[in-house]
Amino acid sequence: MRLKTSTPRELVDLLDSVEPELRLFFEDHTSDLLEDVAPLLPEESREAVLDEVLSLMVLGYLVRANEEDAPPRPPPVLA
């Protein structure tokens, strides 16, 4: 799947397909990061912010993992 050309629905499906253990790792890490920020946020939006940051962290991880697993790109051809 190419993230650049993915639809929002495809990205949501990708996030939903992440293994529960990996998701739990990022949930714990995200919660720890947001503990310091949470008091600055309205209480009713804290959970939504946590979900958004979690999604961004998981997508960032998937992009980075894909870069490491992808075959090297050939050097650009200069004409």
Side-chain angles (χ1 to χ4, degrees):
M1 170 187 276
R2 292 188 51 87
L3 293 177
K4 281 174 115 176
T5 58
S6 297
T7 65
R9 180 74 245 162
E10 289 171 327
L11 293 175
V12 168
D13 290 343
L14 177 64
L15 289 170
D16 289 343
S17 72
V18 171
E19 294 178 14
E21 296 83 14
L22 182 61
R23 186 168 186 81
L24 182 60
F25 168 80
F26 280 106
E27 283 177 1
D28 290 345
H29 189 64
T30 302
S31 294
D32 290 345
L33 287 173
L34 290 180
E35 267 184 34
D36 294 335
V37 178
L40 304 173
L41 301 170
E43 191 169 332
E44 63 275 2
S45 65
R46 290 178 188 166
E47 191 66 32
V49 170
L50 176 64
D51 288 342
E52 291 295 322
V53 172
L54 170 62
S55 295
L56 290 172
M57 289 182 71
V58 171
L59 279 174
Y61 168 80
L62 294 172
V63 166
R64 183 70 180 122
N66 184 54
E67 287 174 350
E68 291 175 355
D69 292 339
R73 292 182 175 166
V77 176
L78 301 174

